[in-house]
Amino acid sequence: MISNIDHIAIAVRDLDNALERFKALTGAADEQIRIEEVPSEKVRVAFIQVGSSKIELLEPLGTNSPIAKFLEKRGEGLHHIALETQDIETEIARTAKEDLLPLSEPSLGAGKKKIVFFNPKDTGRVLVEFVQKIKD
């Protein structure tokens, strides 16, 4: 079952500049922000906690990053919406019955969460991500 909107992701060219803008916009304090690199996705990210959800800012770590390609094609802006689940495999099986198939197998994403993306062609031109917290 989908339990929450985990985050809304925005592709940016300059993470530090975008982070300052969004801190000002949301009034977020430093303790509400987490920055990390995700080598598997070739991005540097900043998460800004806003209530029970987050805003994720995505900066490419080079020209071969999928985010660099996104920025080149579409410019800065909304990249994806991430929905939280307790069991990503069950959700993949459920959505498959509706002919909504993920783009790949689940992988490890930011925050050490299991992630999978769905094709925007199947979701009203919005890239949708499922995320699952991995239990220690």
Side-chain angles (χ1 to χ4, degrees), residues 4-86:
N4 190 36
I5 295 175
D6 186 77
H7 64 270
I8 297 174
I10 300 168
V12 300
R13 289 187 173 89
D14 180 336
L15 184 69
D16 297 324
N17 184 40
L19 182 55
E20 289 306 312
R21 288 192 323 255
F22 275 88
K23 278 176 66 174
L25 183 65
T26 63
D30 288 342
E31 58 270 7
Q32 292 173 269
I33 297 167
R34 185 180 86 240
I35 299 172
E36 67 180 278
E37 286 189 8
V38 185
S40 64
E41 299 294 322
K42 300 176 185 162
V43 293
R44 181 172 166 238
V45 301
F47 284 100
I48 305 167
Q49 190 72 42
V50 180
S52 64
S53 297
K54 295 173 278 308
I55 296 172
E56 178 186 32
L57 304 174
L58 303 159
E59 175 188 64
L61 285 176
T63 57
N64 64 342
S65 165
I67 297 302
K69 293 172 186 160
F70 177 92
L71 288 166
E72 184 179 306
K73 186 174 181 179
R74 294 188 179 93
E76 292 185 312
L78 179 66
H79 184 262
H80 68 269
I81 297 173
L83 305 174
E84 184 178 1
T85 179
Q86 300 299 313

Coordinates of all heavy atoms in Angstrom, one line a residue, residues 4-86:
N4 N 2.4 7.4 1.7 CA 2.7 8.8 1.9 C 3.4 9.3 0.6 O 4.0 8.5 -0.2 CB 3.8 8.9 3.0 CG 4.1 10.3 3.5 OD1 3.2 11.2 3.5 ND2 5.3 10.5 3.8
I5 N 3.4 10.6 0.4 CA 4.2 11.2 -0.7 C 5.6 11.4 0.0 O 5.7 12.2 1.0 CB 3.7 12.5 -1.2 CG1 2.4 12.3 -1.9 CG2 4.7 13.2 -2.1 CD1 1.7 13.5 -2.4
D6 N 6.6 10.6 -0.3 CA 7.9 10.7 0.3 C 8.6 12.0 0.0 O 9.0 12.7 0.8 CB 8.7 9.5 -0.1 CG 10.0 9.5 0.7 OD1 10.0 9.0 1.8 OD2 11.1 9.9 0.1
H7 N 8.6 12.3 -1.4 CA 9.2 13.5 -1.8 C 8.8 13.9 -3.2 O 8.3 13.1 -3.9 CB 10.8 13.5 -1.7 CG 11.4 12.5 -2.6 ND1 11.7 11.2 -2.2 CD2 11.9 12.6 -3.8 CE1 12.2 10.5 -3.2 NE2 12.4 11.4 -4.2
I8 N 9.0 15.2 -3.5 CA 8.9 15.7 -4.8 C 10.3 16.2 -5.3 O 10.9 16.9 -4.5 CB 7.9 16.9 -4.9 CG1 6.5 16.3 -4.5 CG2 7.8 17.5 -6.3 CD1 5.4 17.4 -4.4
A9 N 10.7 15.7 -6.4 CA 12.1 16.0 -6.8 C 12.1 17.0 -7.9 O 11.3 17.0 -8.9 CB 12.8 14.7 -7.3
I10 N 13.1 17.9 -7.8 CA 13.3 19.0 -8.8 C 14.8 18.9 -9.3 O 15.7 18.9 -8.5 CB 13.1 20.3 -8.1 CG1 11.6 20.4 -7.6 CG2 13.3 21.5 -9.0 CD1 11.3 21.5 -6.6
A11 N 14.9 18.9 -10.6 CA 16.2 18.9 -11.2 C 16.8 20.3 -11.3 O 16.1 21.2 -11.7 CB 16.2 18.3 -12.6
V12 N 18.0 20.5 -10.8 CA 18.7 21.8 -10.8 C 20.1 21.7 -11.3 O 20.7 20.7 -11.3 CB 18.7 22.4 -9.3 CG1 17.3 22.5 -8.8 CG2 19.5 21.6 -8.4
R13 N 20.5 22.8 -11.8 CA 21.9 22.9 -12.3 C 22.9 23.2 -11.2 O 24.1 22.7 -11.3 CB 22.0 24.0 -13.4 CG 21.3 23.6 -14.7 CD 21.6 24.6 -15.8 NE 21.0 24.1 -17.1 CZ 19.8 24.3 -17.5 NH1 19.0 25.0 -16.7 NH2 19.4 23.8 -18.6
D14 N 22.5 24.0 -10.2 CA 23.4 24.4 -9.2 C 22.7 24.1 -7.8 O 21.8 24.8 -7.4 CB 23.7 25.9 -9.3 CG 24.7 26.4 -8.3 OD1 24.7 25.8 -7.1 OD2 25.3 27.4 -8.5
L15 N 23.1 23.0 -7.2 CA 22.4 22.6 -6.0 C 22.5 23.6 -4.9 O 21.6 23.9 -4.2 CB 23.0 21.2 -5.5 CG 22.3 20.6 -4.3 CD1 20.9 20.2 -4.6 CD2 23.1 19.5 -3.7
D16 N 23.7 24.2 -4.7 CA 23.9 25.1 -3.6 C 23.0 26.4 -3.7 O 22.4 26.8 -2.8 CB 25.4 25.6 -3.5 CG 26.3 24.4 -3.1 OD1 25.8 23.5 -2.3 OD2 27.4 24.3 -3.6
N17 N 22.9 26.9 -4.9 CA 22.1 28.0 -5.2 C 20.6 27.7 -5.0 O 19.8 28.4 -4.4 CB 22.3 28.6 -6.6 CG 21.6 29.8 -6.9 OD1 21.4 30.7 -6.1 ND2 21.0 29.9 -8.2
A18 N 20.2 26.5 -5.6 CA 18.8 26.1 -5.5 C 18.4 25.8 -4.0 O 17.3 26.2 -3.6 CB 18.6 24.8 -6.3
L19 N 19.4 25.3 -3.2 CA 19.1 25.0 -1.8 C 18.9 26.3 -1.1 O 17.9 26.4 -0.3 CB 20.3 24.2 -1.2 CG 20.1 23.8 0.2 CD1 18.8 23.0 0.5 CD2 21.3 23.0 0.7
E20 N 19.6 27.3 -1.3 CA 19.4 28.6 -0.7 C 18.0 29.2 -1.0 O 17.4 29.7 -0.2 CB 20.5 29.6 -1.1 CG 21.9 29.3 -0.4 CD 21.8 29.1 1.1 OE1 21.2 30.0 1.8 OE2 22.3 28.1 1.6
R21 N 17.6 29.1 -2.3 CA 16.3 29.6 -2.7 C 15.2 28.8 -2.0 O 14.3 29.4 -1.5 CB 16.1 29.4 -4.2 CG 17.0 30.4 -5.0 CD 16.6 30.5 -6.5 NE 16.2 29.2 -7.0 CZ 16.9 28.5 -7.9 NH1 18.1 28.9 -8.2 NH2 16.5 27.3 -8.3
F22 N 15.3 27.5 -1.9 CA 14.3 26.7 -1.3 C 14.3 26.8 0.2 O 13.2 26.7 0.9 CB 14.3 25.2 -1.8 CG 13.6 25.0 -3.1 CD1 14.2 25.2 -4.3 CD2 12.2 24.7 -3.1 CE1 13.6 25.1 -5.5 CE2 11.5 24.6 -4.3 CZ 12.2 24.8 -5.5
K23 N 15.4 27.0 0.8 CA 15.5 27.3 2.3 C 14.7 28.6 2.6 O 13.9 28.7 3.5 CB 16.9 27.4 2.8 CG 17.6 26.1 3.0 CD 19.1 26.3 3.4 CE 19.3 27.0 4.7 NZ 20.7 27.1 5.2
A24 N 15.0 29.6 1.7 CA 14.3 30.9 1.9 C 12.8 30.7 1.7 O 11.9 31.3 2.4 CB 14.8 31.9 1.0
L25 N 12.4 30.0 0.7 CA 11.0 29.7 0.3 C 10.2 29.0 1.4 O 9.1 29.4 1.8 CB 10.9 29.0 -1.0 CG 9.5 28.7 -1.6 CD1 8.8 30.0 -1.9 CD2 9.6 27.8 -2.8
T26 N 10.9 27.9 2.0 CA 10.2 27.1 3.0 C 10.4 27.5 4.4 O 9.7 27.1 5.3 CB 10.6 25.6 2.8 OG1 12.1 25.6 3.1 CG2 10.3 25.1 1.4
G27 N 11.5 28.4 4.6 CA 11.8 28.7 6.0 C 12.5 27.6 6.7 O 12.6 27.6 8.0
A28 N 13.1 26.6 6.0 CA 13.7 25.4 6.6 C 15.0 25.8 7.4 O 15.8 26.6 6.9 CB 14.0 24.4 5.5
A29 N 15.1 25.2 8.5 CA 16.3 25.3 9.3 C 17.4 24.3 8.8 O 17.0 23.3 8.2 CB 16.0 25.1 10.8
D30 N 18.6 24.5 9.1 CA 19.7 23.6 8.7 C 19.4 22.2 9.1 O 19.7 21.2 8.4 CB 21.0 24.1 9.2 CG 21.5 25.3 8.5 OD1 21.0 25.6 7.4 OD2 22.4 26.0 9.1
E31 N 18.8 21.9 10.3 CA 18.6 20.6 10.7 C 17.5 19.9 10.0 O 17.3 18.7 10.1 CB 18.3 20.5 12.3 CG 17.1 21.3 12.7 CD 17.5 22.8 13.1 OE1 18.7 23.2 12.9 OE2 16.6 23.5 13.6
Q32 N 16.8 20.6 9.1 CA 15.7 20.0 8.2 C 16.3 19.6 6.9 O 15.6 19.2 6.0 CB 14.6 21.0 8.0 CG 13.8 21.3 9.3 CD 12.8 22.4 9.0 OE1 13.1 23.6 9.2 NE2 11.6 22.0 8.5
I33 N 17.6 19.8 6.7 CA 18.2 19.5 5.4 C 19.3 18.4 5.5 O 20.1 18.4 6.4 CB 18.9 20.8 4.9 CG1 17.7 21.9 4.7 CG2 19.6 20.6 3.6 CD1 18.2 23.3 4.5
R34 N 19.3 17.5 4.5 CA 20.3 16.5 4.4 C 20.8 16.5 3.0 O 20.0 16.5 2.0 CB 19.6 15.1 4.7 CG 20.7 14.0 4.7 CD 20.0 12.6 5.0 NE 19.6 12.1 3.7 CZ 18.3 11.7 3.5 NH1 17.4 11.9 4.4 NH2 18.0 11.2 2.3
I35 N 22.1 16.5 2.8 CA 22.8 16.5 1.5 C 23.6 15.3 1.4 O 24.3 14.9 2.4 CB 23.7 17.8 1.3 CG1 22.9 19.1 1.5 CG2 24.4 17.7 0.0 CD1 23.7 20.3 1.5
E36 N 23.6 14.6 0.2 CA 24.4 13.4 0.0 C 24.6 13.2 -1.5 O 23.9 13.8 -2.3 CB 23.7 12.2 0.6 CG 22.4 11.8 -0.1 CD 21.8 10.5 0.6 OE1 22.2 9.4 0.2 OE2 20.9 10.7 1.3
E37 N 25.6 12.4 -1.8 CA 25.8 12.0 -3.2 C 25.3 10.6 -3.3 O 25.4 9.8 -2.4 CB 27.3 12.1 -3.5 CG 27.8 13.5 -3.7 CD 29.2 13.5 -4.3 OE1 29.8 12.5 -4.7 OE2 29.8 14.7 -4.3
V38 N 24.7 10.3 -4.5 CA 24.2 9.0 -4.8 C 24.9 8.6 -6.1 O 24.5 8.8 -7.2 CB 22.7 9.0 -5.0 CG1 22.2 7.6 -5.2 CG2 22.0 9.7 -3.9
P39 N 26.1 7.9 -5.9 CA 26.9 7.5 -7.1 C 26.1 6.6 -8.1 O 26.3 6.8 -9.3 CB 28.1 6.8 -6.5 CG 28.2 7.3 -5.1 CD 26.8 7.6 -4.7
S40 N 25.3 5.8 -7.6 CA 24.6 4.9 -8.5 C 23.6 5.6 -9.5 O 23.4 5.2 -10.6 CB 23.8 3.8 -7.7 OG 22.8 4.5 -6.9
E41 N 23.1 6.8 -9.0 CA 22.2 7.6 -9.8 C 23.0 8.8 -10.4 O 22.4 9.6 -11.1 CB 21.1 8.1 -9.0 CG 20.2 7.0 -8.4 CD 19.5 6.2 -9.5 OE1 19.0 6.8 -10.5 OE2 19.4 5.0 -9.3
K42 N 24.3 9.0 -10.1 CA 25.2 10.0 -10.6 C 24.6 11.4 -10.3 O 24.5 12.3 -11.1 CB 25.4 9.9 -12.1 CG 26.0 8.6 -12.5 CD 26.1 8.4 -13.9 CE 26.7 7.0 -14.2 NZ 26.5 6.6 -15.6
V43 N 24.2 11.6 -9.0 CA 23.6 12.9 -8.6 C 24.1 13.2 -7.2 O 24.5 12.4 -6.4 CB 22.1 12.9 -8.5 CG1 21.5 12.8 -9.9 CG2 21.5 11.8 -7.6
R44 N 24.1 14.5 -6.9 CA 24.2 15.1 -5.6 C 22.8 15.6 -5.2 O 22.2 16.3 -6.1 CB 25.2 16.2 -5.6 CG 25.5 16.8 -4.3 CD 26.7 17.8 -4.4 NE 26.7 18.7 -3.2 CZ 26.6 20.0 -3.2 NH1 26.6 20.6 -4.4 NH2 26.7 20.7 -2.1
V45 N 22.3 15.3 -4.1 CA 21.0 15.6 -3.7 C 20.9 16.4 -2.4 O 21.8 16.2 -1.5 CB 20.0 14.4 -3.6 CG1 20.0 13.6 -4.9 CG2 20.4 13.5 -2.5
A46 N 19.9 17.2 -2.2 CA 19.6 17.8 -1.0 C 18.1 17.6 -0.7 O 17.2 17.8 -1.6 CB 19.8 19.3 -1.0
F47 N 17.8 17.0 0.5 CA 16.4 16.8 0.9 C 16.1 17.9 1.9 O 16.8 18.1 2.9 CB 16.3 15.5 1.6 CG 16.3 14.3 0.6 CD1 17.4 13.6 0.4 CD2 15.1 14.0 -0.1 CE1 17.4 12.5 -0.5 CE2 15.1 12.9 -0.9 CZ 16.2 12.2 -1.2
I48 N 15.0 18.6 1.7 CA 14.4 19.6 2.7 C 13.2 19.0 3.2 O 12.2 18.7 2.5 CB 14.2 20.9 1.9 CG1 15.4 21.4 1.2 CG2 13.6 21.9 2.9 CD1 15.1 22.5 0.2
Q49 N 13.1 18.8 4.6 CA 12.0 18.2 5.2 C 10.9 19.3 5.3 O 11.1 20.4 5.8 CB 12.3 17.7 6.6 CG 11.2 17.0 7.3 CD 11.1 15.6 6.7 OE1 12.1 14.9 6.4 NE2 9.9 15.1 6.5
V50 N 9.7 19.0 4.8 CA 8.5 19.9 4.8 C 7.4 19.0 5.3 O 6.8 18.3 4.6 CB 8.2 20.5 3.4 CG1 7.0 21.4 3.5 CG2 9.4 21.2 2.8
G51 N 7.0 19.2 6.6 CA 6.0 18.3 7.2 C 6.5 16.9 7.2 O 7.6 16.5 7.5
S52 N 5.6 16.0 6.7 CA 5.9 14.6 6.6 C 6.5 14.2 5.3 O 6.9 13.1 5.0 CB 4.7 13.7 6.9 OG 3.7 13.9 5.8
S53 N 6.7 15.2 4.4 CA 7.3 15.0 3.0 C 8.6 15.8 2.9 O 8.9 16.5 3.8 CB 6.3 15.4 1.9 OG 5.1 14.6 2.0
K54 N 9.2 15.6 1.8 CA 10.4 16.3 1.5 C 10.4 16.9 0.1 O 9.7 16.4 -0.8 CB 11.6 15.3 1.6 CG 11.8 14.8 3.0 CD 12.9 13.8 3.1 CE 12.5 12.4 2.7 NZ 11.3 11.8 3.4
I55 N 11.2 17.9 -0.1 CA 11.6 18.4 -1.4 C 13.0 17.9 -1.7 O 13.9 18.1 -0.8 CB 11.5 19.9 -1.5 CG1 10.1 20.4 -1.3 CG2 12.1 20.4 -2.9 CD1 9.9 21.9 -1.2
E56 N 13.2 17.2 -2.8 CA 14.5 16.8 -3.2 C 15.0 17.6 -4.3 O 14.4 17.7 -5.4 CB 14.5 15.3 -3.6 CG 15.8 14.7 -4.0 CD 15.7 13.3 -4.5 OE1 14.7 12.9 -5.1 OE2 16.7 12.6 -4.4
L57 N 16.2 18.2 -4.2 CA 16.9 18.9 -5.3 C 18.0 18.0 -5.8 O 18.7 17.4 -5.1 CB 17.5 20.2 -4.7 CG 16.5 21.1 -4.0 CD1 17.2 22.3 -3.4 CD2 15.4 21.6 -5.0
L58 N 18.0 17.8 -7.1 CA 18.9 16.9 -7.8 C 19.9 17.7 -8.7 O 19.4 18.4 -9.6 CB 18.1 15.9 -8.7 CG 17.0 15.1 -8.1 CD1 16.0 14.6 -9.2 CD2 17.6 13.9 -7.4
E59 N 21.2 17.5 -8.5 CA 22.2 18.1 -9.3 C 23.0 17.0 -9.9 O 23.5 16.1 -9.2 CB 23.1 19.0 -8.4 CG 24.3 19.6 -9.2 CD 25.2 20.3 -8.3 OE1 25.8 19.6 -7.4 OE2 25.4 21.5 -8.4
P60 N 23.2 17.0 -11.2 CA 24.0 16.0 -11.9 C 25.5 16.0 -11.4 O 26.0 17.0 -11.1 CB 23.9 16.3 -13.4 CG 23.6 17.7 -13.5 CD 22.8 18.1 -12.2
L61 N 26.1 14.8 -11.4 CA 27.5 14.6 -11.1 C 28.3 14.4 -12.3 O 29.1 13.4 -12.4 CB 27.7 13.5 -10.1 CG 27.3 13.7 -8.6 CD1 27.5 12.4 -7.8 CD2 28.1 14.8 -8.0
G62 N 28.0 15.1 -13.4 CA 28.7 14.9 -14.6 C 27.8 14.9 -15.8 O 26.6 14.8 -15.6
T63 N 28.3 15.0 -17.0 CA 27.5 15.1 -18.2 C 26.8 13.8 -18.6 O 25.9 13.8 -19.3 CB 28.4 15.6 -19.4 OG1 29.5 14.7 -19.6 CG2 28.9 17.0 -19.1
N64 N 27.3 12.6 -18.0 CA 26.6 11.4 -18.3 C 25.6 11.0 -17.3 O 25.0 9.9 -17.4 CB 27.7 10.3 -18.5 CG 28.4 10.0 -17.2 OD1 28.4 10.8 -16.2 ND2 29.0 8.8 -17.1
S65 N 25.2 11.9 -16.4 CA 24.2 11.6 -15.4 C 22.8 11.8 -16.1 O 22.6 12.6 -17.0 CB 24.2 12.7 -14.3 OG 23.1 12.7 -13.6
P66 N 21.8 10.9 -15.8 CA 20.5 11.0 -16.3 C 19.9 12.4 -16.0 O 19.1 13.0 -16.8 CB 19.7 10.0 -15.6 CG 20.7 8.9 -15.2 CD 22.0 9.7 -14.9
I67 N 20.3 13.0 -14.9 CA 19.8 14.4 -14.6 C 20.4 15.4 -15.5 O 19.7 16.4 -15.9 CB 20.0 14.7 -13.1 CG1 19.2 13.8 -12.2 CG2 19.6 16.2 -12.8 CD1 17.7 13.8 -12.4
A68 N 21.6 15.2 -15.9 CA 22.2 16.2 -16.9 C 21.5 16.1 -18.2 O 21.2 17.1 -18.8 CB 23.7 15.8 -17.1
K69 N 21.1 14.9 -18.6 CA 20.4 14.7 -19.9 C 19.0 15.4 -19.7 O 18.5 16.0 -20.7 CB 20.3 13.3 -20.2 CG 21.7 12.7 -20.6 CD 21.6 11.2 -20.7 CE 23.1 10.7 -21.0 NZ 23.2 9.3 -20.7
F70 N 18.4 15.2 -18.6 CA 17.0 15.8 -18.3 C 17.1 17.3 -18.4 O 16.3 17.9 -19.1 CB 16.6 15.4 -16.9 CG 15.2 16.0 -16.5 CD1 14.1 15.3 -16.8 CD2 15.2 17.2 -15.9 CE1 12.8 15.9 -16.4 CE2 14.0 17.8 -15.5 CZ 12.8 17.1 -15.8
L71 N 18.2 17.9 -17.8 CA 18.3 19.3 -17.8 C 18.6 19.9 -19.2 O 18.1 20.9 -19.6 CB 19.5 19.8 -16.9 CG 19.2 19.6 -15.4 CD1 20.5 19.7 -14.6 CD2 18.2 20.7 -14.9
E72 N 19.4 19.1 -19.9 CA 19.7 19.5 -21.3 C 18.4 19.5 -22.2 O 18.2 20.5 -23.0 CB 20.7 18.6 -21.9 CG 21.1 18.9 -23.3 CD 22.2 17.9 -23.8 OE1 23.2 17.7 -23.2 OE2 21.9 17.4 -24.9
K73 N 17.6 18.6 -22.0 CA 16.4 18.4 -22.8 C 15.2 19.3 -22.3 O 14.5 19.9 -23.1 CB 15.9 17.0 -22.8 CG 14.8 16.6 -23.7 CD 14.5 15.1 -23.7 CE 13.3 14.8 -24.6 NZ 13.1 13.4 -24.6
R74 N 15.0 19.4 -21.0 CA 13.8 20.1 -20.4 C 14.1 21.3 -19.6 O 13.2 22.1 -19.2 CB 13.0 19.1 -19.6 CG 12.5 18.0 -20.4 CD 11.5 17.1 -19.6 NE 10.9 16.1 -20.4 CZ 11.4 14.8 -20.5 NH1 12.5 14.5 -19.8 NH2 10.8 13.9 -21.2
G75 N 15.4 21.5 -19.1 CA 15.7 22.6 -18.2 C 15.3 22.2 -16.8 O 14.9 21.1 -16.5
E76 N 15.6 23.1 -15.9 CA 15.3 22.9 -14.5 C 13.8 22.8 -14.3 O 13.0 23.4 -15.0 CB 15.8 24.1 -13.6 CG 17.3 24.2 -13.6 CD 17.8 25.2 -12.7 OE1 17.3 26.4 -12.7 OE2 18.7 24.9 -11.9
G77 N 13.4 22.0 -13.3 CA 12.0 21.8 -13.0 C 11.7 20.5 -12.4 O 12.6 19.7 -12.0
L78 N 10.4 20.2 -12.2 CA 9.9 19.0 -11.7 C 10.5 17.8 -12.4 O 10.4 17.7 -13.6 CB 8.4 18.9 -11.7 CG 7.7 17.7 -11.2 CD1 7.9 17.6 -9.7 CD2 6.2 17.6 -11.5
H79 N 11.1 16.9 -11.6 CA 11.6 15.6 -12.2 C 10.8 14.4 -11.9 O 10.5 13.7 -12.8 CB 13.1 15.4 -11.7 CG 13.7 14.3 -12.3 ND1 13.8 13.0 -11.7 CD2 14.3 14.1 -13.5 CE1 14.4 12.2 -12.5 NE2 14.8 12.8 -13.6
H80 N 10.4 14.2 -10.6 CA 9.5 13.1 -10.3 C 8.8 13.3 -8.9 O 9.2 14.2 -8.2 CB 10.3 11.8 -10.3 CG 11.4 11.7 -9.2 ND1 12.7 12.1 -9.3 CD2 11.3 11.2 -7.9 CE1 13.3 11.8 -8.2 NE2 12.5 11.3 -7.3
I81 N 7.8 12.4 -8.7 CA 7.1 12.3 -7.5 C 7.4 11.0 -6.9 O 7.3 10.0 -7.6 CB 5.6 12.6 -7.7 CG1 5.4 14.0 -8.2 CG2 4.9 12.3 -6.3 CD1 3.9 14.2 -8.6
A82 N 7.8 10.9 -5.6 CA 8.1 9.6 -5.0 C 7.0 9.3 -4.0 O 6.7 10.1 -3.1 CB 9.5 9.7 -4.3
L83 N 6.6 8.0 -4.1 CA 5.5 7.5 -3.2 C 6.1 6.5 -2.3 O 6.8 5.6 -2.8 CB 4.4 6.9 -4.0 CG 3.8 7.9 -5.1 CD1 2.7 7.2 -5.9 CD2 3.1 9.1 -4.4
E84 N 5.8 6.6 -1.0 CA 6.4 5.6 0.0 C 5.5 4.4 0.1 O 4.3 4.5 0.1 CB 6.5 6.3 1.3 CG 7.2 5.5 2.4 CD 7.3 6.2 3.7 OE1 6.9 7.4 3.8 OE2 7.9 5.6 4.6
T85 N 6.2 3.2 0.2 CA 5.5 2.0 0.5 C 6.3 1.2 1.5 O 7.6 1.4 1.6 CB 5.3 1.2 -0.8 OG1 4.7 -0.1 -0.5 CG2 6.7 0.9 -1.5
Q86 N 5.7 0.3 2.2 CA 6.4 -0.6 3.2 C 6.9 -1.8 2.5 O 7.8 -2.5 3.0 CB 5.4 -1.0 4.3 CG 4.9 0.1 5.1 CD 6.0 0.9 5.8 OE1 6.9 0.4 6.4 NE2 6.0 2.2 5.7

